[in-house]
Amino acid sequence: MQMQTDTTPRFLVIGTTTVDLTLTGFERLPSSDIDEFTEEGIALTDTPATMTLGGNGANSSFVLAGLGGDVSLCSVIGEDSLGDAAHRWLQDRGVGLEVLSRPSGTATSVTVIAMDDRMQRMALHHPGGAPAFGPADVPANALREATFVLLTSYHLLPRFRSEAAAETLATARRHGAVTSVDIGPAVPPVADLDELAVFLPEVSYLLANEHEMLHCSGQSDLEGAARAFFDSGAQALVVKRGRAGSTLITGDRRIDAATRPIEASSTVGAGDSFNAGFLFALGRGLAAEAALHYANAVAATVVGSLDGVMSSPESSTVEALLGQALNDLPG
């Protein structure tokens, strides 16, 4: 399947923007319930800290722009030094920032991430302006003009939950957009299917990892979770499964797409990169099944890089990685 380039889709990503301070290289993470200056309460690393762009919305936008997508980010950052850094990274990447909010007196969201050599992570997070960010911050013209709309960071944006998400997505669909929602990260209060059912009929593709699917559905296996989501109005499910690849489920049809083995440097941003790759591939004319493979390749490239999302690939790199397999995929 050759990727089509005769039209230029417009992507609108709605979600969080964060600055991530990441510490890696720990043999183990310290215990959190004892004094920090004891042997069990402190961990040392020789690896310098890194400060990078983070947040589901910013990550997906950054990767989409790197692939060559015409993408705008609807999000919120502060009028502070961290906000300046995030703005610069996004602007330099080519992300449209005309609908990025910077309210006076708002701090930029920040996450401190510590990860050990087994890829176990712990995080400390300040949400910045995310709790006050809502549908009123999304201009109607941005929804009208978008070909693809991704609402991500669902559990981190309380003003976009339930009916608010439904209204936003319905507006985009009325104007012909393909809509998608990533329900991760599933942090408390975790949405159940009664809440999600309010907007599921307005979602072309629901994106989640397997843990999030099970947690929100209350089921113990993916098959049961999928049935529960479809009973609640879902149209198509895209399940991110880490080393196992990804799965597309549409009614009674299930398609599994394996990913190539890779030595991961960090899993931070993997799911956001997958989302970007999946939507970009759809926008370039690939069928959903083929878009899974494309998205797997994008995510694999990101997790295999020491710089993660910040060194996400161009589309030519992904297509070279897939090689002849890209031509063999359905379109």
Side-chain angles (χ1 to χ4, degrees), residues 42-55:
I42 191 170
L44 303 178
T45 178
D46 293 326
T47 305
T50 60
M51 189 174 77
T52 60
L53 185 68

Side-chain angles (χ1 to χ4, degrees), residues 182 207-214 221-223 237-249 254-260 267 270-271 274-275 292 295-296 299 303:
D182 190 323
L207 302 151
N209 64 36
E210 195 163 358
H211 166 75
E212 292 156 356
M213 290 280 295
L214 301 181
D221 59 74
L222 183 56
E223 289 72 20
L237 305 174
V238 178
V239 187
K240 297 171 280 188
R241 306 177 66 201
R243 294 181 184 274
S246 56
T247 297
L248 171 69
I249 307 174
R254 170 173 170 159
I255 300 168
D256 295 313
T259 190
R260 66 187 181 94
T267 57
F274 176 96
N275 293 350
L292 289 181
N296 285 345
V303 302

